[in-house]
Amino acid sequence: MRGFRYQQVNLRISRSGQRVYFNAESHKDYTMLKGIALSIGYDGALFGSTFGFRVDEKKILDESHEAHLLVFGNDVPPNERMMFFETPVPLQASKLEGIYTDSALQALLGNTSYSPGGGVIPPAAVNVKKTFVSGKDIVSYSHVIADAILISDNAGVFTGGGGLSSGVAAGSPDPANPAPVYYPYDVRITMYLSK
Amino acid sequence: MKSNKFQRIRLRVSAAGETIRFNAVCDRGFRTIKGIFVSLPQDKAVQGATLGFRLNNVEVLDDGHEVKNLTATNSVAPNSKFFLFPEKIEAAGGSIEGRYTDGSKYPLLVDNGEDSGVYDPGKVNFKTLSGYTTNPFGVVFPYDVVINIWLTND
C-alpha cells in the first residue's frame, strides 16, 4: 500500500447543459485529501461549466465554482497540475459528492440588459443549466442557428461559437474560430489522497 | 555507478484504442523510483490516453490514470518535466507491469443514457469503428510511446 493514491471519478456528459451529480466514498486507508483536478475532453466545454464539491456534507467548492479553475494545460509542470488545498481536508472513508454542470451553451445566454437584476446574475442561477433537469430536456437545442451561424446540429455537435447578437461578448468564443464540443465527452475528477 | 538513471520502455501503438501490456525490470543498481515521464510524438495522442502500472504487484498508478498528467510540452523546463511521486518508491530490481491504452477513439464515446452520467470504467465505451472512415483526432499510426522512469539512489 502506497502512502498516496489518485482516486478518480469519471463522468460522461451527454448533452449541452447537462448536470451530473456523483457521490463516492474516499478510500478507507487514506486520511487526507490534498488536491483535486479536473480533466475535460474539449476546451470549448470549459467555457462557463461549473463544478461543486462536498466532503462529508461540508462544502469545499460551491456549485458555481468554474471548472476552468481546476484544469491544467500540458504547459504546466506535471507536479503542479492540481488545485492543492492550503489545509488538507481530513477524510475517514468520507462521502465525496460533486456536481458538474456543462455550460457549452454559454453562447446562447440572453442579453443581460433585459434582466430585472440589471445584469448581476446570481452565481447559482446560470440559466443554461435549466436546459436539463431531472433527466428531461426543458429546451431542445438539437438544431440551433443564431445570426446564420450553426450553433448545434442533430449530430450532437455544438460548435461553441456564435452569439445571439452580431457582437461578440467579452470572453465569449470567437464565432470565426469556435472551439468545438462533441457530445458525449468525459470529465475525469482526480483526487489526491494521502495518509 | 551514477546515482541517477533514466530507464526507458518503448511501446508501439498500431491502432486507435489499442491497449498494450508491458513488463519490465528496474535496474538493480538503483534503489528508488523518483518520477515518470511519458513521451508521445503527437499532441493529439495525449487526449484520452491512459497509463497504469504496478511495481512488485503493488499499484502505483491505476489503469485509468491519464497520460495527460504524466507528460508535458517543450514549454516546460527540463527539470520540471517529470512527474515526481509524492513518496519514495522502493524499486531495486522490482518488476513493473503496466498497461497503456491509446485514447484516440475518444470522439466515438458512447452516450450512456440519461439516468446518470457517472460511468463504470469497465464498461465498453466506444462505438464501433465499422464504417468510420476518418481518424477522429488525426492521430497517425503507428506511433511510439516512450515511458521514462527516473531511478535514483536517494
Side-chain angles (χ1 to χ4, degrees):
Chain A
M1 179 71 70
R2 306 281 173 208
F4 65 92
R5 183 184 179 90
Y6 295 97
Q7 186 167 343
Q8 298 199 25
V9 175
N10 302 312
L11 310 177
R12 183 149 300 169
I13 310 302
S14 303
R15 64 188 64 222
S16 297
Q18 187 176 1
R19 287 176 62 127
V20 175
Y21 167 84
F22 72 88
N23 70 65
E25 190 173 282
S26 67
H27 196 288
K28 61 180 169 48
D29 293 322
Y30 296 87
T31 56
M32 281 187 289
L33 173 65
K34 286 190 163 178
I36 189 167
L38 293 190
S39 173
I40 295 179
Y42 303 103
D43 287 348
L46 282 173
F47 196 78
S49 294
T50 59
F51 179 72
F53 184 62
R54 299 199 304 178
V55 175
D56 284 336
E57 313 280 333
K58 184 183 164 195
K59 185 165 73 182
I60 306 293
L61 303 171
D62 70 50
E63 277 193 37
S64 60
H65 197 86
E66 291 181 275
H68 72 77
L69 298 174
L70 301 169
V71 303
F72 51 84
N74 288 344
D75 290 343
V76 176
N79 282 79
E80 295 171 17
R81 291 180 185 175
M82 277 203 163
M83 187 185 80
F84 295 98
F85 299 117
E86 283 185 3
T87 308
V89 180
L91 300 175
Q92 196 167 31
S94 298
K95 183 182 179 189
L96 308 171
E97 294 173 280
I99 189 158
Y100 175 86
T101 305
D102 172 85
S103 190
L105 290 171
Q106 186 81 12
L108 297 176
L109 288 173
N111 187 329
T112 54
S113 62
Y114 300 115
S115 162
V120 181
I121 308 289
V126 181
N127 54 12
V128 291
K129 70 170 64 163
K130 293 175 184 168
T131 58
F132 188 86
V133 174
S134 301
K136 291 180 183 173
D137 257 334
I138 293 175
V139 181
S140 173
Y141 288 104
S142 61
H143 187 82
V144 178
I145 292 177
D147 290 347
I149 298 167
L150 181 67
I151 303 291
S152 173
D153 64 19
N154 289 323
V157 178
F158 174 66
T159 66
L164 292 181
S165 65
S166 56
V168 180
S172 67
D174 175 7
N177 188 22
V181 181
Y182 301 89
Y183 293 93
Y185 68 87
D186 282 357
V187 176
R188 284 173 186 262
I189 300 141
T190 304
M191 290 165 281
Y192 171 25
L193 309 185
S194 168
K195 289 181 173 178
Chain B
M1 175 71 75
K2 293 174 184 172
S3 59
N4 290 283
K5 177 177 175 143
F6 297 102
Q7 187 168 343
R8 276 177 284 278
I9 300 166
R10 182 179 286 263
L11 311 175
R12 181 149 299 170
V13 183
S14 303
E18 187 176 6
T19 293
I20 298 173
R21 291 179 188 279
F22 60 90
N23 293 289
V25 176
C26 295
D27 192 312
R28 285 186 183 281
F30 298 87
R31 284 197 294 271
T32 59
I33 295 182
K34 185 173 183 179
I36 185 170
F37 179 80
V38 179
S39 178
L40 292 159
Q42 304 166 56
D43 288 348
K44 291 171 178 174
V46 174
Q47 176 68 53
T50 57
L51 175 78
F53 78 92
R54 297 163 75 86
L55 179 69
N56 291 334
N57 230 13
V58 178
E59 184 180 273
V60 179
L61 299 174
D62 68 48
D63 282 345
H65 200 87
E66 289 182 287
V67 168
K68 202 174 177 181
N69 294 324
L70 305 173
T71 190
T73 65
N74 288 340
S75 303
V76 177
N79 280 7
S80 302
K81 279 192 173 178
F82 270 73
F83 172 74
L84 305 179
F85 292 108
E87 66 178 22
K88 286 183 180 176
I89 297 176
E90 294 300 322
S95 63
I96 290 176
E97 304 156 53
R99 194 171 91 153
Y100 174 88
T101 303
D102 173 77
S104 56
K105 285 165 75 177
Y106 190 88
L108 303 177
L109 290 170
V110 173
D111 185 346
N112 67 343
E114 296 179 353
D115 52 345
S116 165
V118 184
Y119 78 94
D120 174 6
K123 193 174 168 183
V124 176
N125 290 322
F126 299 106
K127 297 170 188 170
T128 173
L129 277 169
S130 168
Y132 202 91
T133 54
T134 58
N135 182 335
F137 274 181
V139 177
V140 178
F141 293 96
Y143 67 88
D144 281 2
V145 178
V146 180
I147 301 164
N148 295 271
I149 297 171
W150 186 354
L151 303 174
T152 73
N153 274 324
D154 292 346

